[in-house]
Amino acid sequence: MARKALKAKQKKKAKYSTREYNRCKICGRARGYLRKYGICRICFRRLAYQGKIPGVKKASW
């Protein structure tokens, strides 16, 4: 889980646009962010296993 202070800091408008960064909508994680889904890799994996992301399933070959 991300710290509350970092979540609040990210919500404020950055002084320069290059300082802006993405955070997971569920847990607030900054790294491993998937733009297409708006969540981090860990939350993506959990939701995919539960079948809550349409069109995504576990690969097996």
Side-chain angles (χ1 to χ4, degrees):
M1 284 297 269
R3 290 192 337 233
K4 286 184 181 180
L6 291 176
K7 285 183 183 180
K9 182 180 173 183
Q10 194 264 338
K11 286 182 181 180
K12 291 194 319 184
K13 179 96 169 91
K15 187 174 183 179
Y16 303 105
S17 63
T18 55
R19 290 185 183 176
E20 294 174 356
Y21 56 96
N22 298 315
R23 283 193 172 271
C24 176
K25 306 268 187 292
I26 299 170
C27 66
R29 182 180 168 88
R31 294 177 178 226
Y33 180 82
L34 301 170
R35 283 186 181 184
K36 184 175 181 181
Y37 300 99
I39 55 177
C40 69
R41 62 182 175 81
I42 298 166
C43 294
F44 176 82
R45 187 170 186 224
R46 186 170 11 101
L47 293 175
Y49 279 149
Q50 294 171 357
K52 295 185 178 179
I53 302 175
V56 176
K57 62 180 180 179
K58 186 178 182 295
S60 61
W61 60 90

